[in-house]
Amino acid sequence: MDTRSKFLKIYANLPLNERDRVIVIIDGQPLTWNAAWLEVDKNTLKGKEILEKLTQMKILI
């Protein structure tokens, strides 16, 4: 399973209130699960950066 699929699977199983929590900081900007999902879903460059960072942090393994 690729990192994008792993992220989407984890996101789909999160409780709704958990999705408002900050998961990663990119370029000094904190991003919640919801904000990260928007970037990953649209396959943006920032979305790819988010996936790389989450993999480095061992959130996506």
Side-chain angles (χ1 to χ4, degrees):
M1 185 181 306
D2 66 335
T3 55
R4 184 175 184 276
S5 297
K6 288 178 186 178
F7 175 86
L8 295 175
K9 183 176 180 180
I10 291 170
Y11 180 85
N13 289 302
L14 283 175
L16 293 177
N17 62 340
E18 192 67 27
R19 294 178 182 182
D20 291 328
R21 293 184 184 233
V22 172
I23 186 171
V24 68
I25 297 175
I26 302 289
D27 298 328
Q29 182 180 20
L31 298 171
T32 64
W33 279 98
N34 286 326
W37 179 84
L38 289 171
E39 298 293 339
V40 171
D41 185 56
K42 301 294 183 188
N43 286 320
T44 65
L45 290 175
K46 187 177 273 191
K48 293 177 195 300
E49 190 175 348
I50 290 166
L51 293 175
E52 288 175 23
K53 184 78 168 180
L54 293 177
T55 300
Q56 291 172 359
M57 296 169 55
K58 307 241 187 259
I59 293 174
L60 302 176
I61 36 177

